Amino acid sequence: MSIIQEHKLIHIHSAKTAGSSIAKYFNSERGHHSITQYKLSLENFNDYRSFIVVRDPVDRFISAWNMALSDPGKIYIKKKYPEISFEPNKALELGLAQNLRTEPKVAWFWPQSELLKITYKPPAPVENQHYIFVPNYVLFFDSLLDDFEKFCYLESINFDKSKFPHIRPSHRKLKNR
């Protein structure tokens, strides 16, 4: 889980939003966990502050698509969903996006809002209810360096720009295979 104990922070890591860079900066683990998972695993959840980096959904989709096609470690995706190798519009027509949105191993295609959804189970016979958790900070991928610097300032974290790598910069062009 993306918990930064030293600063009592929870990084709600939405895939394809600089999570590797943030984990490296804080020397922390990374992972794609919903806020519900944090609430269940942290005894003193309310003592933590939280942040998420959000990214334009189209840019995020393109980045995820390109990674699924080019990263040798993601071959299982191509085997399970061979249509990812089709031209993107054709693959989407075949329902690939819906399949990937619910695939437990493919966090890169999950909607960012899913990570913030909390399910409340009231006493029967009322159905489950959902609400969206609002993190303390929302940083934007397009202005990440500036937003991260402000975030560090507000949290009294010493910010060193030279230690904040952008490990995997994105390119807005879809690859075809």
Side-chain angles (χ1 to χ4, degrees):
M1 293 191 130
S2 302
I3 300 170
I4 302 133
Q5 293 290 355
E6 176 186 355
H7 301 289
K8 291 267 195 197
L9 290 170
I10 296 170
H11 172 211
I12 306 161
H13 177 201
S14 175
K16 308 308 297 168
T17 60
S20 296
S21 298
I22 291 169
K24 185 169 183 170
Y25 188 83
F26 285 117
N27 194 28
S28 65
E29 292 183 27
R30 67 182 181 92
H32 311 108
H33 298 56
S34 71
I35 197 64
T36 299
Q37 291 168 301
Y38 287 103
K39 282 189 82 152
L40 294 173
S41 66
L42 287 170
E43 241 179 71
N44 51 350
F45 173 81
N46 291 330
D47 294 342
Y48 285 76
R49 301 189 47 78
S50 57
F51 71 100
I52 188 170
V53 177
V54 295
R55 183 175 185 181
D56 176 273
V58 173
D59 290 343
R60 188 169 166 261
F61 177 84
I62 290 170
S63 178
W65 186 275
N66 288 339
M67 184 180 73
L69 286 176
S70 61
D71 187 333
K74 310 301 182 220
I75 192 72
Y76 65 91
I77 294 301
K78 289 186 236 177
K79 286 181 179 175
K80 186 168 182 179
Y81 301 103
E83 61 272 27
I84 201 163
S85 297
F86 296 175
E87 187 272 324
N89 287 333
K90 180 66 175 169
L92 295 174
E93 282 175 24
L94 294 171
L96 179 64
Q98 186 59 36
N99 290 336
L100 293 174
R101 286 180 60 156
T102 58
E103 173 64 49
K105 292 184 179 180
V106 191
W108 342 296
F109 290 102
W110 298 348
Q112 294 173 94
S113 61
E114 283 296 311
L115 297 170
L116 300 174
K117 188 166 70 173
I118 294 178
T119 301
Y120 171 67
K121 297 180 182 183
V126 180
E127 290 184 30
N128 288 349
Q129 299 174 6
H130 304 281
Y131 66 92
I132 298 294
F133 174 82
V134 179
N136 298 96
Y137 302 98
V138 176
L139 287 64
F140 294 90
F141 186 85
D142 288 340
S143 56
L144 185 58
L145 194 58
D146 290 337
D147 286 3
F148 192 75
E149 183 175 15
K150 290 174 194 168
F151 160 73
C152 287
Y153 173 78
L154 292 169
E155 284 295 315
S156 302
I157 298 169
N158 185 27
F159 177 70
D160 183 349
K161 185 177 184 176
S162 68
K163 291 183 180 177
F164 191 79
H166 192 163
I167 295 173
R168 297 184 191 112
S170 67
H171 309 286
R172 194 179 161 91
K173 185 177 177 188
L174 274 171
K175 295 176 184 175
N176 284 325
R177 275 247 159 133

